[in-house]
Amino acid sequence: TLPLWSPELFMGVPLLANTQLGTFYPPNWLTIPLDAPQAIKIQIVIHTVWSGLGMYHLARREARLVPFAALIAAVLFAFSGHIGAHVEQINQLQGLSWMPWLFLFLVLARLHPARYLPLMGVAWALQLLSGHTQTVFITGVGLGVFALVDVVSTQTPIRSRLVALTLIAVAAMIAVILALPQLIPAQELASLSNRGDGLNAQEATAFSWNPALVARGLLPSYDAQPFAEYIVYFGVIGMGLVLVGAFSAVKRRTRVAFVVLVVVGLVFALGRYTPIYLALANLPGFNLFRVPSRWLVLVALGGAMLAGIGAQALLRRGFRLNRL
């Protein structure tokens, strides 16, 4: 039966209208027969692996990394502190696992729109149906930045950034149409909630990434675990590879694009601690969500790609040293 309403919670609550339930998200149907702990375990494994596969193929296709370097990027994204910290919020993990796939489909859609644009729309619909709309919004902004920086290889026959933005818009429309069974009741519920007219700047910037806690999110923490939303840890070796990739001379166009993504993620995650996000907090979209620190997923994505580029740069350097 469709979970329209539950009288057991509070004085009754609408369940179907709450996107976080993930009623129409097909992977959730796979674990319906299981009890909750087992279902959660399986969903965590499935989506962690799925996020790594997406990152691997994105690194292979966009940055043209060799398999080993692409595997480094995949492992650092799927098992980064940011992704790992969200296994307790299963709908966020599910949505985050689709992010590298959407970037991959954008790259491919610029070459073969008829083949990959529908796939991008379906993937975005699945991200919507997974139940965390803020992840969908962050993904959309990230894709827009990605397109504007023009990250696609110079070999592509479609060079226009405007075309890339159009592809993103069309994919978004496909996703919305496919997700309407979830979005219609969710919109009705949202219009009756305290977010119906948007949050004020104070509310929209709650749980910003405090600059005093940046080191605890990026580096190992041995005294206590930082707040989960503030973590974007890659490991010591992983962070070293990120820095090598950011300043290496290989894959310049891809490298610049992912450096920009990292910078955008860092600046937006700071939220109320930067005038840039404070200026955006009253705009549609930005005023619907709290916890700006969730923009750190762009740091996780961009950093993982830079680490893969760094690994490839070291491999090339080692090959030359061997030849010498």
Side-chain angles (χ1 to χ4, degrees):
T1 59
L2 286 176
L4 298 174
W5 183 267
S6 173
E8 288 82 15
L9 299 174
F10 302 109
M11 296 180 69
V13 297
L15 285 186
L16 184 66
N18 184 349
T19 59
Q20 295 181 86
L21 196 64
T23 303
F24 295 110
Y25 184 58
N28 283 341
W29 306 343
L30 300 174
T31 51
I32 286 176
L34 305 177
D35 58 27
Q38 288 299 104
I40 291 293
K41 290 176 184 177
I42 291 174
Q43 292 290 339
I44 288 172
V45 171
I46 289 174
H47 288 87
T48 301
V49 172
W50 188 243
S51 67
L53 285 173
M55 193 68 214
Y56 177 85
H57 289 292
L58 177 62
R60 288 282 288 157
R61 180 62 187 82
E62 168 56 24
R64 306 288 184 180
L65 298 185
V66 298
F68 179 75
L71 182 62
I72 293 291
V75 169
L76 286 182
F77 180 71
F79 297 101
S80 67
H82 190 81
I83 300 299
H86 286 89
V87 297
E88 63 179 354
Q89 299 160 306
I90 189 62
N91 63 324
Q92 283 195 56
L93 174 65
Q94 290 171 331
L96 293 173
S97 72
W98 286 98
M99 183 175 285
W101 289 100
L102 284 162
F103 277 78
L104 172 64
F105 289 143
L106 175 60
V107 171
L108 296 174
R110 292 189 67 173
L111 290 168
H112 307 287
R115 184 186 309 172
Y116 291 104
L117 184 57
L119 284 176
M120 185 178 176
V122 170
W124 217 343
L126 288 168
Q127 190 186 51
L128 263 171
L129 294 172
S130 67
H132 197 256
T133 48
Q134 186 176 15
T135 297
V136 177
F137 178 70
I138 292 172
T139 300
V141 174
L143 288 170
V145 172
F146 193 72
L148 288 173
V149 180
D150 197 16
V151 299
V152 180
S153 167
T154 55
Q155 300 301 315
T156 178
I158 305 175
R159 301 170 186 267
S160 171
R161 295 170 183 158
L162 180 61
V163 169
L165 293 175
T166 302
L167 292 173
I168 294 171
V170 173
M173 288 189 287
I174 295 173
V176 168
I177 292 171
L178 293 175
L180 279 178
Q182 179 66 77
L183 294 179
I184 291 174
Q187 175 56 35
E188 182 179 0
L189 176 62
S191 67
L192 300 173
S193 75
N194 62 344
R195 302 193 189 199
D197 296 322
L199 303 172
N200 61 43
Q202 186 70 15
E203 295 169 328
T205 58
F207 299 100
S208 298
W209 200 32
N210 191 324
L213 301 176
V214 166
R216 292 175 63 88
L218 288 171
L219 302 173
S221 180
Y222 298 106
D223 55 345
Q225 178 179 328
F227 180 46
E229 301 288 3
Y230 298 164
I231 299 174
V232 65
Y233 179 56
F234 290 106
V236 175
I237 295 175
M239 187 62 70
L241 290 174
V242 171
L243 294 175
V244 171
F247 294 100
S248 70
V250 301
K251 310 296 181 183
R252 182 182 180 279
R253 294 182 59 136
T254 300
R255 175 173 53 83
V256 170
F258 282 96
V259 167
V260 171
L261 273 181
V262 168
V263 171
V264 170
L266 288 172
V267 172
F268 282 13
L270 291 171
R272 67 180 54 171
Y273 299 103
T274 171
I276 297 175
Y277 198 87
L278 280 174
L280 296 172
N282 292 314
L283 296 179
F286 289 92
N287 68 350
L288 294 178
F289 308 107
R290 303 184 307 153
V291 198
S293 57
R294 287 174 180 158
W295 288 91
L296 287 173
V297 67
L298 296 182
V299 180
L301 183 78
M305 182 65 80
L306 292 174
I309 293 173
Q312 181 140 316
L314 292 178
L315 287 172
R316 287 185 176 182
R317 189 173 182 181
F319 176 77
R320 288 171 184 166
L321 288 174
N322 290 337
R323 290 294 298 271
L324 290 174

